[in-house]
mmCIF file of all heavy atoms in Angstrom:
data_model
loop_
_atom_site.group_PDB
_atom_site.id
_atom_site.type_symbol
_atom_site.label_atom_id
_atom_site.label_comp_id
_atom_site.label_asym_id
_atom_site.label_seq_id
_atom_site.Cartn_x
_atom_site.Cartn_y
_atom_site.Cartn_z
ATOM 1 N N GLY J 461 -7.727 16.058 -4.934
ATOM 2 C CA GLY J 461 -6.975 14.888 -5.341
ATOM 3 C C GLY J 461 -5.753 14.746 -4.420
ATOM 4 O O GLY J 461 -5.418 13.584 -4.025
ATOM 5 N N HIS J 462 -5.122 15.853 -4.086
ATOM 6 C CA HIS J 462 -3.991 15.733 -3.162
ATOM 7 C C HIS J 462 -4.309 15.327 -1.761
ATOM 8 O O HIS J 462 -3.680 14.469 -1.148
ATOM 9 C CB HIS J 462 -3.266 17.102 -3.159
ATOM 10 C CG HIS J 462 -2.025 17.150 -2.250
ATOM 11 N ND1 HIS J 462 -2.078 17.429 -0.951
ATOM 12 C CD2 HIS J 462 -0.701 16.822 -2.574
ATOM 13 C CE1 HIS J 462 -0.861 17.387 -0.416
ATOM 14 N NE2 HIS J 462 -0.017 17.000 -1.388
ATOM 15 N N GLU J 463 -5.403 15.885 -1.284
ATOM 16 C CA GLU J 463 -5.753 15.573 0.070
ATOM 17 C C GLU J 463 -6.342 14.060 0.163
ATOM 18 O O GLU J 463 -6.219 13.499 1.235
ATOM 19 C CB GLU J 463 -6.865 16.528 0.617
ATOM 20 C CG GLU J 463 -6.358 17.981 0.719
ATOM 21 C CD GLU J 463 -5.136 18.035 1.741
ATOM 22 O OE1 GLU J 463 -5.219 17.409 2.806
ATOM 23 O OE2 GLU J 463 -4.176 18.754 1.513
ATOM 24 N N PHE J 464 -6.952 13.631 -0.863
ATOM 25 C CA PHE J 464 -7.524 12.239 -0.799
ATOM 26 C C PHE J 464 -6.387 11.200 -0.906
ATOM 27 O O PHE J 464 -6.597 10.077 -0.431
ATOM 28 C CB PHE J 464 -8.457 12.046 -1.999
ATOM 29 C CG PHE J 464 -9.805 12.550 -1.672
ATOM 30 C CD1 PHE J 464 -10.691 12.969 -2.723
ATOM 31 C CD2 PHE J 464 -10.346 12.725 -0.350
ATOM 32 C CE1 PHE J 464 -11.944 13.472 -2.452
ATOM 33 C CE2 PHE J 464 -11.586 13.220 -0.135
ATOM 34 C CZ PHE J 464 -12.366 13.599 -1.219
ATOM 35 N N ARG J 465 -5.267 11.553 -1.462
ATOM 36 C CA ARG J 465 -4.282 10.496 -1.769
ATOM 37 C C ARG J 465 -3.693 9.913 -0.402
ATOM 38 O O ARG J 465 -3.546 8.704 -0.362
ATOM 39 C CB ARG J 465 -3.090 11.121 -2.555
ATOM 40 C CG ARG J 465 -3.369 11.319 -4.045
ATOM 41 C CD ARG J 465 -2.198 12.009 -4.704
ATOM 42 N NE ARG J 465 -1.098 11.063 -4.751
ATOM 43 C CZ ARG J 465 -0.739 10.416 -5.815
ATOM 44 N NH1 ARG J 465 -1.342 10.536 -6.908
ATOM 45 N NH2 ARG J 465 0.352 9.541 -5.811
ATOM 46 N N THR J 466 -3.499 10.798 0.503
ATOM 47 C CA THR J 466 -2.907 10.202 1.797
ATOM 48 C C THR J 466 -3.819 9.247 2.528
ATOM 49 O O THR J 466 -3.478 8.163 2.850
ATOM 50 C CB THR J 466 -2.513 11.410 2.677
ATOM 51 O OG1 THR J 466 -1.558 12.272 2.040
ATOM 52 C CG2 THR J 466 -1.927 10.932 4.028
ATOM 53 N N PRO J 467 -5.137 9.641 2.756
ATOM 54 C CA PRO J 467 -5.982 8.653 3.465
ATOM 55 C C PRO J 467 -6.273 7.491 2.599
ATOM 56 O O PRO J 467 -6.424 6.345 3.107
ATOM 57 C CB PRO J 467 -7.313 9.468 3.741
ATOM 58 C CG PRO J 467 -7.174 10.627 2.816
ATOM 59 C CD PRO J 467 -5.767 10.906 2.568
ATOM 60 N N ILE J 468 -6.335 7.598 1.304
ATOM 61 C CA ILE J 468 -6.584 6.425 0.487
ATOM 62 C C ILE J 468 -5.381 5.505 0.531
ATOM 63 O O ILE J 468 -5.621 4.237 0.580
ATOM 64 C CB ILE J 468 -6.878 6.955 -1.046
ATOM 65 C CG1 ILE J 468 -8.233 7.570 -1.096
ATOM 66 C CG2 ILE J 468 -6.771 5.660 -1.958
ATOM 67 C CD1 ILE J 468 -8.420 8.216 -2.489
ATOM 68 N N THR J 469 -4.198 5.994 0.470
ATOM 69 C CA THR J 469 -3.015 5.182 0.592
ATOM 70 C C THR J 469 -3.043 4.428 1.973
ATOM 71 O O THR J 469 -2.743 3.179 1.974
ATOM 72 C CB THR J 469 -1.722 5.995 0.515
ATOM 73 O OG1 THR J 469 -1.706 6.703 -0.696
ATOM 74 C CG2 THR J 469 -0.491 5.089 0.631
ATOM 75 N N SER J 470 -3.433 5.115 3.027
ATOM 76 C CA SER J 470 -3.562 4.451 4.316
ATOM 77 C C SER J 470 -4.575 3.324 4.344
ATOM 78 O O SER J 470 -4.340 2.291 4.870
ATOM 79 C CB SER J 470 -3.862 5.494 5.433
ATOM 80 O OG SER J 470 -2.849 6.498 5.484
ATOM 81 N N MET J 471 -5.790 3.652 3.719
ATOM 82 C CA MET J 471 -6.738 2.641 3.651
ATOM 83 C C MET J 471 -6.289 1.370 2.814
ATOM 84 O O MET J 471 -6.681 0.249 3.180
ATOM 85 C CB MET J 471 -8.038 3.231 3.113
ATOM 86 C CG MET J 471 -8.795 4.141 4.073
ATOM 87 S SD MET J 471 -10.428 4.614 3.458
ATOM 88 C CE MET J 471 -9.949 5.744 2.136
ATOM 89 N N LEU J 472 -5.593 1.640 1.722
ATOM 90 C CA LEU J 472 -5.070 0.479 0.968
ATOM 91 C C LEU J 472 -4.155 -0.417 1.711
ATOM 92 O O LEU J 472 -4.176 -1.629 1.598
ATOM 93 C CB LEU J 472 -4.381 1.083 -0.315
ATOM 94 C CG LEU J 472 -5.289 1.671 -1.395
ATOM 95 C CD1 LEU J 472 -4.392 2.293 -2.497
ATOM 96 C CD2 LEU J 472 -6.107 0.563 -2.051
ATOM 97 N N LEU J 473 -3.329 0.251 2.588
ATOM 98 C CA LEU J 473 -2.429 -0.520 3.408
ATOM 99 C C LEU J 473 -3.208 -1.379 4.382
ATOM 100 O O LEU J 473 -2.849 -2.498 4.667
ATOM 101 C CB LEU J 473 -1.442 0.359 4.099
ATOM 102 C CG LEU J 473 -0.426 1.105 3.194
ATOM 103 C CD1 LEU J 473 0.391 2.107 4.068
ATOM 104 C CD2 LEU J 473 0.516 0.097 2.559
ATOM 105 N N LEU J 474 -4.261 -0.780 5.024
ATOM 106 C CA LEU J 474 -5.065 -1.481 5.909
ATOM 107 C C LEU J 474 -5.811 -2.590 5.242
ATOM 108 O O LEU J 474 -6.025 -3.706 5.811
ATOM 109 C CB LEU J 474 -6.085 -0.521 6.547
ATOM 110 C CG LEU J 474 -5.488 0.535 7.494
ATOM 111 C CD1 LEU J 474 -6.552 1.546 7.962
ATOM 112 C CD2 LEU J 474 -4.814 -0.110 8.679
ATOM 113 N N VAL J 475 -6.339 -2.392 4.022
ATOM 114 C CA VAL J 475 -7.075 -3.410 3.277
ATOM 115 C C VAL J 475 -6.071 -4.589 3.004
ATOM 116 O O VAL J 475 -6.426 -5.738 3.043
ATOM 117 C CB VAL J 475 -7.565 -2.846 1.951
ATOM 118 C CG1 VAL J 475 -8.007 -4.029 1.000
ATOM 119 C CG2 VAL J 475 -8.727 -1.924 2.252
ATOM 120 N N GLU J 476 -4.838 -4.232 2.637
ATOM 121 C CA GLU J 476 -3.822 -5.331 2.376
ATOM 122 C C GLU J 476 -3.604 -6.157 3.642
ATOM 123 O O GLU J 476 -3.456 -7.395 3.601
ATOM 124 C CB GLU J 476 -2.545 -4.701 1.865
ATOM 125 C CG GLU J 476 -2.603 -4.163 0.473
ATOM 126 C CD GLU J 476 -2.918 -5.259 -0.535
ATOM 127 O OE1 GLU J 476 -2.437 -6.390 -0.403
ATOM 128 O OE2 GLU J 476 -3.669 -4.961 -1.527
ATOM 129 N N LYS J 477 -3.498 -5.507 4.772
ATOM 130 C CA LYS J 477 -3.263 -6.251 6.082
ATOM 131 C C LYS J 477 -4.477 -7.146 6.359
ATOM 132 O O LYS J 477 -4.280 -8.244 6.694
ATOM 133 C CB LYS J 477 -3.047 -5.265 7.160
ATOM 134 C CG LYS J 477 -1.697 -4.495 7.116
ATOM 135 C CD LYS J 477 -1.534 -3.560 8.329
ATOM 136 C CE LYS J 477 -0.200 -2.869 8.225
ATOM 137 N NZ LYS J 477 -0.020 -1.977 9.411
ATOM 138 N N LEU J 478 -5.644 -6.592 6.228
ATOM 139 C CA LEU J 478 -6.810 -7.385 6.507
ATOM 140 C C LEU J 478 -7.035 -8.557 5.468
ATOM 141 O O LEU J 478 -7.550 -9.579 5.795
ATOM 142 C CB LEU J 478 -8.104 -6.490 6.389
ATOM 143 C CG LEU J 478 -8.176 -5.489 7.568
ATOM 144 C CD1 LEU J 478 -9.421 -4.562 7.280
ATOM 145 C CD2 LEU J 478 -8.345 -6.175 8.907
ATOM 146 N N ASN J 479 -6.504 -8.323 4.264
ATOM 147 C CA ASN J 479 -6.623 -9.298 3.190
ATOM 148 C C ASN J 479 -5.837 -10.559 3.581
ATOM 149 O O ASN J 479 -6.149 -11.695 3.201
ATOM 150 C CB ASN J 479 -6.217 -8.738 1.901
ATOM 151 C CG ASN J 479 -6.549 -9.660 0.714
ATOM 152 O OD1 ASN J 479 -7.617 -10.223 0.677
ATOM 153 N ND2 ASN J 479 -5.607 -9.786 -0.202
ATOM 154 N N LYS J 480 -4.750 -10.353 4.331
ATOM 155 C CA LYS J 480 -3.948 -11.505 4.758
ATOM 156 C C LYS J 480 -4.706 -12.427 5.760
ATOM 157 O O LYS J 480 -4.386 -13.560 5.820
ATOM 158 C CB LYS J 480 -2.669 -11.047 5.369
ATOM 159 C CG LYS J 480 -1.740 -10.311 4.370
ATOM 160 C CD LYS J 480 -0.496 -9.715 5.073
ATOM 161 C CE LYS J 480 0.435 -9.004 4.140
ATOM 162 N NZ LYS J 480 1.632 -8.461 4.835
ATOM 163 N N ARG J 481 -5.730 -11.901 6.384
ATOM 164 C CA ARG J 481 -6.594 -12.663 7.321
ATOM 165 C C ARG J 481 -7.880 -12.952 6.775
ATOM 166 O O ARG J 481 -8.816 -13.193 7.536
ATOM 167 C CB ARG J 481 -6.665 -11.912 8.614
ATOM 168 C CG ARG J 481 -5.353 -11.528 9.290
ATOM 169 C CD ARG J 481 -5.498 -10.825 10.619
ATOM 170 N NE ARG J 481 -4.240 -10.488 11.231
ATOM 171 C CZ ARG J 481 -4.091 -9.802 12.412
ATOM 172 N NH1 ARG J 481 -5.249 -9.463 13.051
ATOM 173 N NH2 ARG J 481 -2.881 -9.539 12.860
ATOM 174 N N PHE J 482 -8.006 -12.803 5.468
ATOM 175 C CA PHE J 482 -9.360 -13.035 4.858
ATOM 176 C C PHE J 482 -9.872 -14.369 5.076
ATOM 177 O O PHE J 482 -11.149 -14.563 5.332
ATOM 178 C CB PHE J 482 -9.149 -12.831 3.295
ATOM 179 C CG PHE J 482 -10.453 -12.889 2.577
ATOM 180 C CD1 PHE J 482 -11.302 -11.823 2.542
ATOM 181 C CD2 PHE J 482 -10.764 -14.051 1.857
ATOM 182 C CE1 PHE J 482 -12.494 -11.878 1.804
ATOM 183 C CE2 PHE J 482 -12.037 -14.158 1.227
ATOM 184 C CZ PHE J 482 -12.816 -13.019 1.169
ATOM 185 N N ASP J 483 -9.081 -15.423 5.015
ATOM 186 C CA ASP J 483 -9.555 -16.881 5.261
ATOM 187 C C ASP J 483 -10.106 -17.000 6.677
ATOM 188 O O ASP J 483 -10.909 -17.974 6.926
ATOM 189 C CB ASP J 483 -8.440 -17.802 5.035
ATOM 190 C CG ASP J 483 -8.034 -17.779 3.551
ATOM 191 O OD1 ASP J 483 -8.832 -17.368 2.755
ATOM 192 O OD2 ASP J 483 -6.920 -18.167 3.247
ATOM 193 N N LYS J 484 -9.715 -16.211 7.651
ATOM 194 C CA LYS J 484 -10.139 -16.341 9.002
ATOM 195 C C LYS J 484 -11.486 -15.589 9.278
ATOM 196 O O LYS J 484 -12.010 -15.779 10.450
ATOM 197 C CB LYS J 484 -9.079 -15.902 9.947
ATOM 198 C CG LYS J 484 -7.735 -16.725 9.834
ATOM 199 C CD LYS J 484 -6.700 -16.154 10.836
ATOM 200 C CE LYS J 484 -5.462 -16.977 10.636
ATOM 201 N NZ LYS J 484 -4.399 -16.501 11.597
ATOM 202 N N MET J 485 -11.889 -14.848 8.321
ATOM 203 C CA MET J 485 -13.111 -13.989 8.552
ATOM 204 C C MET J 485 -14.317 -14.921 8.367
ATOM 205 O O MET J 485 -14.347 -15.868 7.563
ATOM 206 C CB MET J 485 -13.172 -12.857 7.569
ATOM 207 C CG MET J 485 -12.060 -11.846 7.769
ATOM 208 S SD MET J 485 -12.139 -10.547 6.554
ATOM 209 C CE MET J 485 -10.629 -9.629 6.850
#
């Protein structure tokens, strides 16, 4: 649980960034 939290948090940030460009996909 501890080791997964860091990469999951990073992936959530990346998902949020990509989500801003969702309409251009």
Side-chain angles (χ1 to χ4, degrees):
H462 180 269
E463 294 300 318
F464 278 153
R465 285 177 67 104
T466 302
I468 288 174
T469 303
S470 300
M471 285 190 289
L472 287 172
L473 292 174
L474 293 174
V475 166
E476 289 298 325
K477 289 181 179 180
L478 291 174
N479 191 39
K480 295 177 180 180
R481 302 181 181 180
F482 184 79
D483 295 337
K484 298 179 181 180
M485 297 179 186

